[in-house]
Amino acid sequence: MGHPMFAYDEKATEAIFAYCRERLALDPVPLDYGGLFDIPADEVAGLITQEGRPVEEVLALFERDLAPAVVSIDAPTFLAFIPNSPTKNSLLFDMVVACSGLNGTSWLEAAGVVTAENQALDFLSRRAGLPAGAGGAFVSGGSMGNLASLTVARDVGRARHPEIEPHRVRIAISADAHASVGKALHVIGVEPFEVATTDHRFTLEALRAALAADPHPETVVAIVATAGTTNAGIVDDLEGLGTYAREHDLWFHVDGAYGGAAMLAPSHREIFAGLRHADSFVVDPHKWLFAPLDCAALIYRNPTIARTVLAQQAGYLDILHVSDDADYDWNPSDFAIHLSRRARGLPFWFSLVTYGVGAYESAIERGIELARITEEMVRARPDLEMVRPASLSIALFRRPGWSEARYNEWSLQLLRDQVAFVTPTKWEGETIGRFAFLHPDTDESTIAQVLDSLRD
Ligand SMILES: *Cc1c(COP(=O)(O)O)cnc(C)c1O
């Protein structure tokens, strides 16, 4: 007899499988209450005991008291922040990853996982127009992808410019870059070279003007462009900025965590063409590529440079790097700031392989269409206004005269009524309404209902 924690338990397994089946069968997934749900503190307190408790009892408690206190980010009525809308097959395969404890750390340990993950990364890389040989790893999110990329960018910049004191190298970002970009620069001790945007878009003209006005433009060693700003879905001038970076030997990082997926939408191919200039590129499958949390694709034009900067070195790891097999040294652990990692790219890979690329293209197009439909609905309502035209799958609108408090009240009421989860945002200092669409099954009648609720 082995240790009881490692013994197979038929009843426990059945209970968990039954729960999973019930969740997976929900179509559509209901919103649930999140922070507005009253958690029964007494029921939850004191659960951890010396002897443990039966699986069925704890599962029932979880289902009754905890699970409903989470807003379902995968509901088609979740239209706040950036949602997460995993496909059924991606969720199913996440169970495969979970129940087999699949790791994806190194080629030696997990060549099968790495092969599948690399297939998915290669698909994204080719669609971005990057050359053969580009690659990287799946990391936990866009924030981690940006941090790893900018660490490499910093070190490459320092190596190319030994004449600049290391602490003086700077990285150009726009005022509309994601919060994680500024945070990454803070972590790696690099000062941002912040460039003002033109209608919230980072353009080559703005970069040139900012460099011309700066006493030390030579200290700027990298450019960060955003392919789909989180707040408004605006795609920076990838072609202009990327070409400039090429010509001036600057590292070009493209943060496409949210919007990069729209490169797969046939209607939007053109504005993503400049992705081919990227030295590093991040796109989150857990956002608009319909994979479960947590999964971001991090791709380098030249993975060898990233490995040189980021791979962890230790006597106990040397065996991962010594073999003549060309694939042998391909360890996902070497391309970001992590070592042990779950096979987090596999749910996305499995879903992409099973549904096919066409299904992704049409699902992404639908998100864009929903934003456009919202725009028409807003324009048809005399008491509402669009703040700017819909961009990618984001629509910004206002109810003139409403205060921040009024928008917050409206947002929470919609959640209480289980209509939808829609949160306000700020635009040039003003509080406004915002939809972020991802789920292709979001109902047009839900959009109408939300817009109709913007009443005094
Ligand atoms: C969401 C987002 C991020 C951060 O990604 P996480 O996966 O949440 O860490 C970075 N950049 C942009 C543009 C984003 O939309």
Side-chain angles (χ1 to χ4, degrees), residues 141-143 146 178 180 226 228 230 255 257-258 284 286-287:
S143 304
N146 286 335
H178 188 263
S180 62
T226 308
T230 314
D255 175 6
Y258 149 64
D284 285 7
H286 72 210
K287 285 181 173 170

Side-chain angles (χ1 to χ4, degrees), residues 1-314:
M1 269 293 278
H3 190 285
M5 286 203 294
F6 300 87
Y8 176 70
D9 180 334
E10 182 71 34
K11 261 180 67 197
T13 307
E14 281 309 319
I16 297 283
F17 277 19
Y19 177 81
C20 292
R21 184 171 289 119
E22 215 175 280
R23 265 320 289 188
L24 284 162
L26 294 173
D27 182 17
V29 172
L31 201 51
D32 287 335
Y33 286 91
L36 303 181
F37 186 89
D38 214 5
I39 295 183
D42 290 348
E43 307 281 327
V44 177
L47 280 177
I48 300 172
T49 60
Q50 192 67 23
E51 309 74 28
R53 294 173 186 276
V55 165
E56 293 85 346
E57 178 196 319
V58 181
L59 181 64
L61 182 140
F62 172 76
E63 189 170 1
R64 189 184 65 234
D65 297 332
L66 296 175
V70 179
V71 183
S72 304
I73 195 171
D74 52 340
T77 46
F78 190 115
L79 306 170
F81 313 117
I82 301 287
N84 164 245
S85 308
T87 66
K88 293 297 184 193
N89 283 357
S90 70
L91 288 169
L92 284 168
F93 211 75
D94 213 15
M95 291 171 62
V96 173
V97 173
C99 77
S100 35
L102 271 185
N103 95 86
T105 302
S106 68
W107 184 263
L108 171 63
E109 295 162 284
V113 165
V114 179
T115 299
E117 287 194 329
N118 282 350
Q119 198 173 63
L121 286 171
D122 194 55
F123 165 76
L124 295 172
S125 171
R126 298 300 177 110
R127 280 300 187 102
L130 293 171
F138 287 101
V139 295
S140 62
S143 304
M144 286 308 296
N146 286 335
L147 177 61
S149 301
L150 296 181
T151 305
V152 179
R154 177 198 65 186
D155 282 17
V156 167
R158 285 177 176 171
R160 279 181 192 161
H161 297 282
E163 75 284 2
I164 303 170
E165 287 176 78
H167 71 276
R168 292 185 64 233
V169 303
R170 292 182 295 170
I171 292 181
I173 69 172
S174 93
D176 287 70
H178 188 263
S180 62
V181 173
K183 195 53 75 178
L185 294 183
H186 174 70
V187 171
I188 65 174
V190 168
E191 202 189 311
F193 177 73
E194 203 174 296
V195 181
T197 46
T198 315
D199 189 25
H200 300 270
R201 185 164 180 262
F202 187 6
T203 62
L204 176 56
E205 293 69 36
L207 176 69
R208 281 192 202 278
L211 288 171
D214 191 84
H216 295 291
E218 74 284 355
T219 59
V220 175
V221 298
I223 302 170
V224 180
T226 308
T229 59
T230 314
N231 211 13
I234 295 165
V235 179
D236 289 341
D237 177 13
L238 303 179
E239 189 60 45
L241 296 170
T243 305
Y244 183 90
R246 284 269 85 76
E247 286 167 357
H248 294 80
D249 217 13
L250 307 177
W251 186 277
F252 186 47
H253 174 63
V254 181
D255 175 6
Y258 149 64
M263 71 181 177
L264 300 181
S267 65
H268 277 59
R269 221 153 261 162
E270 200 82 328
I271 61 168
F272 289 94
L275 273 178
R276 71 186 189 286
H277 300 298
D279 290 296
S280 50
F281 170 51
V282 168
V283 55
D284 285 7
H286 72 210
K287 285 181 173 170
W288 210 356
L289 290 169
F290 314 109
L293 295 166
D294 46 13
C295 182
L298 163 60
I299 298 167
Y300 302 95
R301 171 179 296 273
N302 181 346
T304 303
I305 293 177
R307 174 166 46 202
T308 305
V309 174
L310 297 175
Q312 298 183 25
Q313 308 293 344

Side-chain angles (χ1 to χ4, degrees), residues 302-384:
N302 181 346
T304 303
I305 293 177
R307 174 166 46 202
T308 305
V309 174
L310 297 175
Q312 298 183 25
Q313 308 293 344
Y316 42 81
L317 298 176
D318 284 346
I319 189 171
L320 301 182
H321 304 289
V322 291
S323 170
D324 295 334
D325 178 345
D327 287 328
Y328 188 87
D329 200 16
W330 189 280
N331 306 311
S333 57
D334 291 344
F335 300 114
I337 301 158
H338 59 192
L339 183 60
S340 310
R341 60 183 290 280
R342 73 193 294 265
R344 63 162 56 84
L346 287 195
F348 169 59
W349 165 81
F350 185 75
S351 181
L352 183 64
V353 171
T354 52
Y355 292 122
V357 178
Y360 279 77
E361 291 173 343
S362 65
I364 293 165
E365 283 290 8
R366 181 62 184 162
I368 295 168
E369 195 180 358
L370 286 167
R372 253 194 327 254
I373 290 168
T374 303
E375 183 168 336
E376 284 163 24
M377 289 184 180
V378 168
R379 295 203 193 285
R381 284 168 170 73
D383 48 352
L384 302 182

